[in-house]
Amino acid sequence: MTDELKVVRAGFAPIKGTRHLAYDRLVLDDLGVVGDRGFALVSVNTSAPGRGRVLRTVQHPSLVAVRAEVARGRLEIGLPGGESVSAEPVVTGESIICDYWGREVELELLSGPHSELFSRWLDRPVRLARARRGEVVFAGAVSMVTTASLGDLARRIGDDAALVAARFRPNLVVETEEPYVEDTWLGREVQVGAARLRIGVPIPRCAVIDIHPETGKRDVRLLKTLASHRPLNRAGEPALGVFAEVVAPGFVG
């Protein structure tokens, strides 16, 4: 029998690394959340044409202060100071091979005002690129954290207000009563809305969780607190939440 989980927050970021936004409704297909990280910012290697690197949030924390949304085919970007652009990304026919956590991914370079805006914001030249579904996703297609685990961590740092779910950038936050019970869900199928997922491995965490999810400033030491009581992987990273794969597509919300 498939367990049914209550989703209390659902979200994603259309550009990898930008602010993680909550949505009333998500569509899940075989590849994960539709619209999730469909774009990425890349740094082009000028000494090796056709090569580059996908920008990572942990190295460019100010990205999380940027709001990005797709509306009626247009990609809308807003900076904290109010500067914004709204335009349809244009395919250039160029592609670039990028390193992404030790594996090669091919992305499609785009033209439009977005790259210029991001370059000014980051104070370095970057290009907007379109990614194939799942190409710039670290591991599982869907990420999930639980309310009880978030609540336990909030109590440990003594600051409920600081611990918002968006720090962990999950696609789904589900309601639970027992902290870290999700560690026991490996291989289990669960129902979320009209979709069914199969739970995979725990999610290793890095310093991104210490970054305020709207300002991009480091303001708490969540990673150290998490590492003090949670299992560590070989890289010394503590786990919170679980990855999942879509067994039966559907919508959430």
Side-chain angles (χ1 to χ4, degrees):
M1 184 174 181
T2 302
D3 295 317
E4 185 169 357
L5 299 178
K6 180 181 178 182
V7 176
V8 298
R9 184 187 187 275
F12 67 91
I15 302 177
K16 176 178 170 52
T18 57
R19 186 178 303 174
H20 199 268
L21 302 178
Y23 289 90
D24 294 333
R25 178 187 175 101
L26 294 188
V27 176
L28 278 66
D29 64 11
D30 293 337
L31 297 176
V33 178
V34 175
D36 187 22
R37 288 164 286 186
F39 300 94
L41 294 163
V42 300
S43 176
V44 178
N45 188 339
T46 55
S47 62
R51 309 287 298 190
R53 185 178 295 273
V54 175
L55 268 61
R56 303 174 184 173
T57 314
V58 69
Q59 296 166 329
H60 302 278
S62 63
L63 276 176
V64 304
V66 181
R67 185 183 183 93
E69 293 187 270
V70 177
R72 297 177 296 280
R74 299 174 71 86
L75 180 58
E76 302 175 352
I77 308 297
L79 300 183
E83 187 177 3
S84 64
V85 298
S86 176
E88 184 176 348
V90 178
V91 175
T92 64
E94 303 172 81
S95 63
I96 186 171
I97 302 296
C98 290
D99 172 80
Y100 182 68
W101 292 107
R103 59 184 172 88
E104 290 191 341
V105 296
E106 184 176 5
L107 294 95
E108 186 177 39
L109 291 175
L110 304 169
S111 66
H114 313 92
S115 296
E116 183 180 345
L117 185 66
F118 274 112
S119 295
R120 290 200 304 272
W121 177 249
L122 296 170
D123 195 28
R124 61 176 297 171
V126 296
R127 293 283 302 273
L128 180 69
R130 192 188 308 275
R132 295 191 186 96
R133 295 284 304 284
E135 284 284 82
V136 292
V137 175
F138 180 73
V142 179
S143 59
M144 180 187 300
V145 299
T146 67
T147 56
S149 297
L150 291 173
D152 178 75
L153 187 54
R155 286 189 292 273
R156 290 174 185 271
I157 65 171
D159 190 348
D160 289 349
L163 195 74
V164 295
R167 283 188 184 271
F168 298 89
R169 306 177 70 82
N171 296 129
L172 304 173
V173 180
V174 299
E175 192 172 84
T176 55
E177 296 182 358
E178 179 185 347
Y180 314 113
V181 67
E182 61 271 25
D183 292 348
T184 68
W185 292 352
L186 177 60
R188 180 181 299 182
E189 290 192 8
V190 297
Q191 191 77 25
V192 287
R196 191 166 74 252
L197 307 177
R198 180 178 295 111
I199 303 299
V201 298
I203 302 173
R205 297 298 178 174
C206 66
V208 169
I209 64 175
D210 291 344
I211 299 169
H212 190 281
E214 293 185 4
T215 66
K217 304 294 185 181
R218 286 185 169 86
D219 61 345
V220 292
R221 302 190 70 181
L222 282 180
L223 187 64
K224 183 177 180 180
T225 302
L226 194 62
S228 70
H229 69 284
R230 293 289 293 149
L232 306 179
N233 64 12
R234 292 183 179 179
E237 300 165 325
L240 184 79
V242 288
F243 289 118
E245 302 296 333
V246 179
V247 176
F251 65 89
V252 176

